[in-house]
Amino acid sequence: MRDMIWLIPLLPMLSSISLMIFSGRLPKTLVAFMGAGSVALSALLTLLFAVNFLNNPEPVQLTLWTWIEVGSFNPGVAFYLDGLTLVMMSIITGVGFLIHLFSTEFMQDDDSYARYFAYLNMFVAAMLILVMADNLLLLYLGWEGVGVCSYLLVGFWYQSSDNGKAARKAFIVTRIGDTAMALGLFLLFSELGTLNIQAMGEVARTTWQVGDTMPLIACLLLLAGAAGKSAQLPLQTWLPDAMAGPTPVSALIHAATMVTAGVYLIARTHDLFLLAPTAMMTVAILGLATSLMAAFTALTQFDIKRILAYSTISQIGYMFLALGVGAWGAGIFHLMTHAFFKALLFLGSGAIIHCLHHEHDIFKMGGLRTILPVVFWSFIIGSAALAALPLSSGFFSKDQILLSAYLMPGVGPWLWFGGLVGALLTAIYSFRLVFVVFFGSVKTKPDNSPGLRMAIPLTVLCALAVVGGYFTIPVAEVFPPLGDHHPAFWVEAVSIAVPIVGVAIAYAVFLGGQLKVDGLKNATSGLRQFWFSHWGMDWLYDRVFVRPYYGLANLLSSEPLDRLYELVVSASQKLNQYLSDTQTGRMRSYVGSMIFGLIFVLALSLGVL
């Protein structure tokens, strides 16, 4: 079984290529079978490997062939599987299959059904290559593959110019981080002589000391790449606009693939980050700042998908906080539980949009509790896990992060307090969404209800969102131990109580009516508009980067060098026109020109001319 792990990314890759080639000639039933079935087979192979690995928890290294060989640089197409890889593969294939199954019904009326599954399968294959790679160059190949697929899927409905803009924005913003990451890879190879992840960690520990400048620079460059893919400050602006794609794509990007890539990168290269405490503190502060900023923004949104998008940015911020304080296992644990409940919420929102004439505004919904019961319970369970209510899956992982942050020497209590504020806001906006959409009067009546292929993934994800917190992930051998210290009882009690208080506030404001906030809304209208605009970051980037770029492009469009090219074009056009004029259609003209040409050639050969 261990020698066959290469089949796991190959199956969705082959399916994607086949769908691209034969898309116009395949019935939708076969397209759905190939699209979802290939990922199901990958999930089954991952499950078989997981059983084998848990019985014999030794890392697996498999080299298929040498990719490049230049001097001492000889990276291979090779895979390295340990507990961390297994967790990521399980999320990608397991949750990915449920999203594929949901998509078979959600997208069945779309004319580009085969193209959709071709992109979706390529997305899964690229993400699998990313997490399975044993060297950073192969990881970077998967990294860029994920970026290309995100562009294709975000702009899937390319007939709308807004969708095209959103796709380009996602591609360009993440390329900024990718460029920094590439520079980091160049630096690591020039300093350590290898990009093999396991060997690199060993060489780094013998070459550098804790606190050296070189590992700090390398880690900050890797962090920039991670921030771009995982939508963290200051490169997070692409993710809300990525909601332009089909809703199952949003679920795949937010839960199982793209935005988790940055978290995985930092966790996988933790040996380097342990040599750069300043970089780790930067990761923690960046994650907390992003989490709070996105949580405040989510409070003001009314588009159901954008609320969930800002929620993702905020929850990834918690994962960065965990990585920054050295709670590696807690960060990956939250990545897993987040995959369950965020896929559940996005697919639930997709079911609502599908049944409500593609309506996105939560204030045009309402009263769906009894009309769409499966979706209602999906949102109740998913929102409870998102808010980290006790005994939900999100509770166990987020609680570990907050308690680990509190134990960090020096700034730990401040990080913990910031995390608590984020937890309070998360509970408020999560249940604001539930109360507004599912309670009150019906404002938009559904024209259908989710079918079996939608209901099954929602039901399975409901179960995972409930019991996922009881799973034990096999990463103890991957990361260094955090320690057995525990904070005081009151710290844990406050961490548990804060989300409950948040739900109570949401109920009092948005359902029960006990708490009137009209005066507060009027007094803070400007601040709420600032939060709604994503803290003005799109406005700032537009004026600092986008408009100057367009201005420079317009200036260069009339540069003098273009006149030379235009002269060549004009001469070619004139010559073409002259040659066209000679085609008169008259035999005597053609005979005359042939005689003239013959005389000219004879004259040249006889030396007359």
Side-chain angles (χ1 to χ4, degrees):
M1 175 60 210
R2 296 189 173 209
D3 293 335
M4 304 295 287
I5 57 176
W6 51 273
L7 281 172
I8 297 174
L10 181 63
L11 289 171
M13 179 72 74
L14 290 177
S15 173
S16 175
I17 295 172
S18 301
L19 289 171
M20 290 179 187
I21 295 173
F22 302 109
S23 60
R25 297 182 290 277
L26 297 177
K28 287 188 174 181
T29 303
L30 183 57
V31 170
F33 180 78
M34 292 173 62
S38 61
V39 181
L41 287 175
S42 292
L44 178 60
L45 290 174
T46 301
L47 177 61
L48 294 175
F49 172 76
V51 173
N52 185 282
F53 179 84
L54 294 176
N55 291 329
N56 180 23
E58 290 293 327
V60 177
Q61 192 160 9
L62 178 65
T63 301
L64 301 180
W65 65 83
T66 299
W67 183 9
I68 301 171
E69 192 166 4
V70 181
S72 61
F73 184 57
N74 55 353
V77 176
F79 301 133
Y80 180 86
L81 276 69
D82 58 5
L84 174 58
T85 314
L86 178 60
V87 172
M88 297 299 298
M89 290 168 60
S90 301
I91 294 170
I92 295 165
T93 58
V95 177
F97 165 66
L98 295 174
I99 293 170
H100 274 69
L101 180 59
F102 186 95
S103 297
T104 60
E105 180 178 340
F106 185 87
M107 297 293 292
Q108 64 184 356
D109 295 329
D110 198 285
D111 294 334
S112 300
Y113 198 65
R115 178 168 64 91
Y116 171 81
F117 278 103
Y119 294 166
L120 213 61
N121 282 15
M122 187 68 73
F123 206 165
V124 170
M127 190 66 189
L128 284 169
I129 291 172
L130 189 159
V131 300
M132 294 172 66
D134 88 326
N135 62 82
L136 288 177
L137 186 62
L138 185 60
L139 183 151
Y140 195 72
L141 175 67
W143 189 274
E144 291 301 309
V146 167
V148 170
C149 292
S150 70
Y151 167 78
L152 296 172
L153 285 166
V154 170
F156 180 77
W157 288 316
Y158 57 84
Q159 296 85 351
S160 169
S161 60
D162 289 340
N163 294 347
K165 290 178 182 178
R168 291 193 297 273
K169 183 177 182 180
F171 190 77
I172 292 170
V173 173
T174 54
R175 289 293 78 70
I176 296 170
D178 295 354
T179 303
M181 180 180 169
L183 294 175
L185 300 191
F186 293 141
L187 175 63
L188 288 170
F189 180 74
S190 65
E191 292 293 321
L192 303 178
T194 182
L195 290 180
N196 181 280
I197 297 172
Q198 307 307 313
M200 186 178 63
E202 296 176 3
V203 175
R205 285 191 294 269
T206 58
T207 304
W208 295 326
Q209 301 294 319
V210 175
D212 283 353
T213 302
M214 206 56 70
L216 173 62
I217 296 174
C219 288
L220 290 178
L221 289 171
L222 293 179
L223 173 59
K229 274 290 186 291
S230 292
Q232 299 293 286
L233 280 167
L235 301 176
Q236 82 291 356
T237 56
W238 66 270
L239 190 60
D241 290 349
M243 298 303 97
T247 304
V249 171
S250 303
L252 192 64
I253 290 176
H254 289 247
T257 56
M258 188 165 173
V259 296
T260 62
V263 179
Y264 172 78
L265 175 67
I266 297 176
R268 178 53 77 192
T269 57
H270 67 275
D271 286 331
L272 297 177
F273 279 85
L274 289 171
L275 296 172
T278 303
M280 287 189 63
M281 180 56 65
T282 303
V283 173
I285 294 175
L286 194 70
L288 180 59
T290 306
S291 180
L292 291 174
M293 182 208 68
F296 277 109
T297 304
L299 276 174
T300 63
Q301 301 296 311
F302 54 83
D303 185 308
I304 188 170
K305 288 179 65 176
R306 290 182 75 88
I307 294 171
L308 296 177
Y310 285 109
S311 166
T312 297
I313 297 174
S314 182
Q315 296 306 302
I316 297 291
Y318 275 104
M319 298 174 206
F320 270 60
L321 173 61
L323 300 176
V325 300
W328 312 100
I332 298 301
F333 189 31
H334 195 57
L335 185 153
M336 181 190 72
T337 60
H338 176 263
F340 298 153
F341 62 73
K342 188 51 62 69
L344 175 62
L345 289 170
F346 262 111
L347 294 185
S349 71
I352 293 173
I353 294 167
H354 183 74
C355 297
L356 264 67
H357 324 288
H358 301 283
E359 181 59 66
H360 286 233
D361 189 341
I362 62 173
F363 293 106
K364 294 180 180 178
M365 301 176 186
L368 300 179
R369 182 177 74 262
T370 56
I371 303 174
L372 301 174
V374 174
V375 180
F376 168 66
W377 285 108
S378 298
F379 261 84
I380 287 290
I381 293 171
S383 298
L386 173 59
L389 294 182
L391 303 183
S392 66
S393 61
F395 162 76
F396 292 98
S397 54
K398 188 179 286 186
D399 194 53
Q400 285 187 21
I401 294 173
L402 292 176
L403 298 183
S404 298
Y406 183 86
L407 291 171
M408 188 174 185
V411 298
W414 291 105
L415 296 176
W416 171 75
F417 178 75
L420 284 182
V421 174
L424 178 68
L425 296 174
T426 301
I428 294 174
Y429 71 68
S430 299
F431 279 85
R432 164 184 178 258
L433 178 59
V434 171
F435 295 143
V436 170
V437 170
F438 293 98
F439 291 83
S441 59
V442 177
K443 300 180 179 67
T444 304
K445 193 172 182 60
D447 57 358
N448 57 19
S449 58
L452 195 60
R453 286 174 291 167
M454 285 186 177
I456 290 175
L458 291 174
T459 304
V460 174
L461 288 168
C462 280
L464 290 173
V466 171
V467 304
Y470 297 94
F471 294 166
T472 300
I473 56 175
V475 297
E477 302 299 325
V478 180
F479 304 119
L482 189 60
D484 296 328
H485 302 292
H486 296 281
F489 174 76
W490 70 268
V491 175
E492 188 160 2
V494 171
S495 299
I496 294 172
V498 163
I500 300 174
V501 172
V503 174
I505 293 173
Y507 175 84
V509 173
F510 300 105
L511 186 58
Q514 295 90 344
L515 190 59
K516 304 296 184 183
V517 293
D518 293 339
L520 182 63
K521 284 183 178 180
N522 294 332
T524 60
S525 59
L527 183 61
R528 288 189 299 108
Q529 183 59 39
F530 177 65
W531 290 344
F532 179 82
S533 68
H534 201 166
W535 296 53
M537 293 195 68
D538 281 320
W539 177 89
L540 177 66
Y541 288 173
D542 182 64
R543 280 154 180 78
V544 175
F545 298 110
V546 178
R547 292 189 182 183
Y549 176 82
Y550 278 120
L552 181 62
N554 291 331
L555 179 64
L556 294 178
S557 66
S558 59
E559 60 180 334
L561 190 60
D562 285 344
R563 305 287 82 77
L564 176 62
Y565 296 138
E566 290 172 1
L567 180 62
V568 173
V569 172
S570 178
S572 298
Q573 290 174 336
K574 290 292 184 183
L575 179 61
N576 178 73
Q577 184 62 44
Y578 170 75
L579 293 175
S580 297
D581 292 341
T582 63
Q583 305 304 305
T584 62
R586 297 177 180 177
M587 181 64 72
R588 60 186 177 184
S589 298
Y590 296 154
V591 171
S593 63
M594 290 172 63
I595 293 173
F596 176 80
L598 180 61
I599 294 171
F600 182 76
V601 171
L602 287 173
L604 285 177
S605 62
L606 295 174
V608 177
L609 294 178

